[in-house]
């Protein structure tokens, strides 16, 4: 008996073909980015390298691969997928590391200090970027990375600013370099000023860019300062959601003004931020078993490292060099401002 192909069979075949084609096109680039992310975790086992976040190592490896070897054309769909979907998944899971109880532990004065420092730093960096004639998109990325949480804030902010990959790489480089300087210098300054563990932890958590850098600096002056610095920093990370939402609303407003037709101006609504907030709420309920924390934290870091590896795989060093020194001066200015501004507030209020 002959088999006749029906419309249903054809539909199933088309669905399988579409899935196979899509998955097949994404897989090479996704695997390449994931391998680089895995290598970034492995390299942290080398003495001295562990002070760097795997996110930073991942983008550096990706950039080296792209500029020395070249990203294969077959990998580009998967690289693009990693930059969008994998990134958003990582940011959503980041919310599981934060709870409302941590904010309460920082106290009203501490939270107010963090918010004031964040807003002042973002405003100052935006002003300085205009004064230095740095591109507005790059300025926002450096402002977000300096005022909130380093590389994670840079890549989250880029979902609404939609800057070039070279701008993202430059901003990540700025927060890495200056955050690392804080990691080394702040314990020395804290010792000279004889700041208490609470005050020193609050200063590091309020001003240093990356979580890993805060941990290294805060614990350098003891267990108490280390724990409080980490909690203060995670409270600051929680500000990522409202900041990205505000930047998204501002971008949507600009689109409406430029297009003249609000119905045609597609506002870049970062829905993944709502997922981030939902995860914070879930973590705050206490329903998430503590035993899962290492797994969720590791998964989050791996997803974000994969996204940054993909970003490195699309970053041309020649275009990065073409940015010149003005963005670096902007990053330095933001770093000096947040360090001194937060120290002044801590000494007055903490």
């Amino acid at each position: 008996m002959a088999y006749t192909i029906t419309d249903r069979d054809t539909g199933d075949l088309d669905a399988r073909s579409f899935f196979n084609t899509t998955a097949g096109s994404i897989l090479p680039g996704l695997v390449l980015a994931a391998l680089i992310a895995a290598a970034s975790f492995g390299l942290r086992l080398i003495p001295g390298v562990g002070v760097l976040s795997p996110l930073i190592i991942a983008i550096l490896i990706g950039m080296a691969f792209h500029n020395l070897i070249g990203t294969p054309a077959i990998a580009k769909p998967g690289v693009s997928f990693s930059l969008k979907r994998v990134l958003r998944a990582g940011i959503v899971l980041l919310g599981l590391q934060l709870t409302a109880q941590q904010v309460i532990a920082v106290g009203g004065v501490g939270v107010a200090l963090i918010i004031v420092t964040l807003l002042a730093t973002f405003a100052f960096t935006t002003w300085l970027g205009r004064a230095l004639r740095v591109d507005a998109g790059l300025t926002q990325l450096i402002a977000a990375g300096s005022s909130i949480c380093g590389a994670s804030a840079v890549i989250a902010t880029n979902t609404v600013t939609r800057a070039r990959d070279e701008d993202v790489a430059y901003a990540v480089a700025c927060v890495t370099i200056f955050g690392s300087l804080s990691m080394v210098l702040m314990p020395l300054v804290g010792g000279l000023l004889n700041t208490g563990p609470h005050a020193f932890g609050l200063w590091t958590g309020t001003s240093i860019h990356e979580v890993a850098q805060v941990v290294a600096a805060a614990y350098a002056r003891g267990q108490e300062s280390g724990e409080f610095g980490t909690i203060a920093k995670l409270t600051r990370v929680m500000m990522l959601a409202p900041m990205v939402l505000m930047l998204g609303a501002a971008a949507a407003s600009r689109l409406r003004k430029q297009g003249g037709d609000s119905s045609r101006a597609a506002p870049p609504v970062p829905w993944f931020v709502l997922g981030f907030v939902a995860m914070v709420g879930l973590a705050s309920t206490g329903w998430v078993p503590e035993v899962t924390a290492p797994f969720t934290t590791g998964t989050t870091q791996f997803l974000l490292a994969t996204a940054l590896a993909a970003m490195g795989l699309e970053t041309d060093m020649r275009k990065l060099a073409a940015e010149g020194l003005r963005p670096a001066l902007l990053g330095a200015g933001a770093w000096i401002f947040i360090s001194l501004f937060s120290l002044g507030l801590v000494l007055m209020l903490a």
Side-chain angles (χ1 to χ4, degrees):
M1 179 178 177
Y3 180 79
T4 303
I5 298 179
T6 64
D7 290 340
R8 181 177 179 180
D9 294 328
T10 304
D12 291 342
L13 182 61
D14 289 343
R16 288 195 299 271
S17 176
F18 173 79
F19 175 80
N20 290 336
T21 302
T22 303
S25 64
I26 290 174
L27 194 58
L30 181 59
V31 170
L32 177 59
L35 286 174
I36 292 175
S40 73
F41 280 87
L43 287 172
R44 295 184 76 240
L45 299 176
I46 299 175
V49 181
V51 297
L52 293 177
S53 163
L55 278 65
I56 306 305
I57 300 173
I59 194 172
L60 292 176
I61 297 175
M63 289 170 63
F65 187 96
H66 177 72
N67 289 276
L68 296 177
I69 300 174
T71 304
I74 193 175
K76 290 186 177 180
V79 169
S80 179
F81 177 85
S82 300
L83 272 172
K84 296 176 182 178
R85 306 294 183 183
V86 175
L87 167 62
R88 285 160 173 75
I91 293 174
V92 169
L93 284 180
L94 184 63
L96 286 176
Q97 299 179 33
L98 313 169
T99 66
Q101 290 81 0
Q102 290 172 334
V103 177
I104 295 172
V106 173
V109 173
V111 171
L113 191 151
I114 290 170
I115 293 174
V116 169
T117 300
L118 188 158
L119 294 175
T121 302
F122 198 96
F124 172 81
T125 307
T126 301
W127 169 82
L128 185 60
R130 285 197 294 266
L132 292 172
R133 298 192 302 278
V134 176
D135 178 76
L138 177 54
T139 295
Q140 281 194 342
L141 295 181
I142 292 176
S146 300
S147 61
I148 308 175
C149 57
S152 299
V154 171
I155 57 179
T157 302
N158 192 51
T159 59
V160 293
T161 59
R162 298 174 181 176
R164 300 175 304 158
D165 289 339
E166 287 75 24
D167 288 345
V168 175
Y170 204 118
V172 169
C174 281
V175 298
T176 301
I177 292 170
F178 296 117
S180 297
L181 285 173
S182 290
M183 181 179 66
V184 174
L185 295 175
M186 279 191 175
L188 299 176
V189 175
L192 291 174
L193 296 177
N194 197 27
T195 55
H198 185 279
F200 182 74
L202 184 58
W203 182 35
T204 58
T206 303
S207 60
I208 299 181
H209 303 336
E210 289 279 344
V211 175
Q213 294 165 344
V214 171
V215 171
Y219 274 96
R221 291 189 48 82
Q223 181 75 18
E224 185 179 351
S225 63
E227 291 176 353
F228 195 79
T230 302
I231 293 173
K233 176 59 179 178
L234 292 178
T235 301
R236 187 170 148 212
V237 173
M238 202 175 292
M239 308 302 170
L240 178 64
M243 179 63 74
V244 173
L245 287 173
M246 286 190 291
L247 291 175
S253 177
R254 286 194 298 271
L255 282 173
R256 285 193 294 270
K257 290 179 180 179
Q258 293 170 2
D261 182 359
S262 59
S263 63
R264 294 173 58 188
V269 180
W271 294 109
F272 68 92
V273 175
L274 301 181
F276 172 90
V277 174
M279 291 299 102
V280 173
L282 178 61
S284 301
T285 63
W287 295 345
V288 182
E290 290 187 12
V291 70
T292 64
F295 173 76
T296 56
T297 301
T299 301
T300 301
Q301 288 291 297
F302 184 79
L303 291 175
L304 293 177
T306 299
L308 276 179
M311 194 166 290
L313 290 169
E314 288 196 347
T315 301
D316 191 327
M317 286 296 294
R318 291 170 296 183
K319 294 180 180 178
L320 190 62
E323 298 280 4
L325 290 176
R326 284 181 295 180
L329 293 175
L330 176 61
W335 169 61
I336 293 172
F337 178 87
I338 194 172
S339 299
L340 296 180
F341 185 85
S342 60
L343 177 60
L345 289 181
V346 166
L347 293 178
M348 285 191 300
L349 302 174

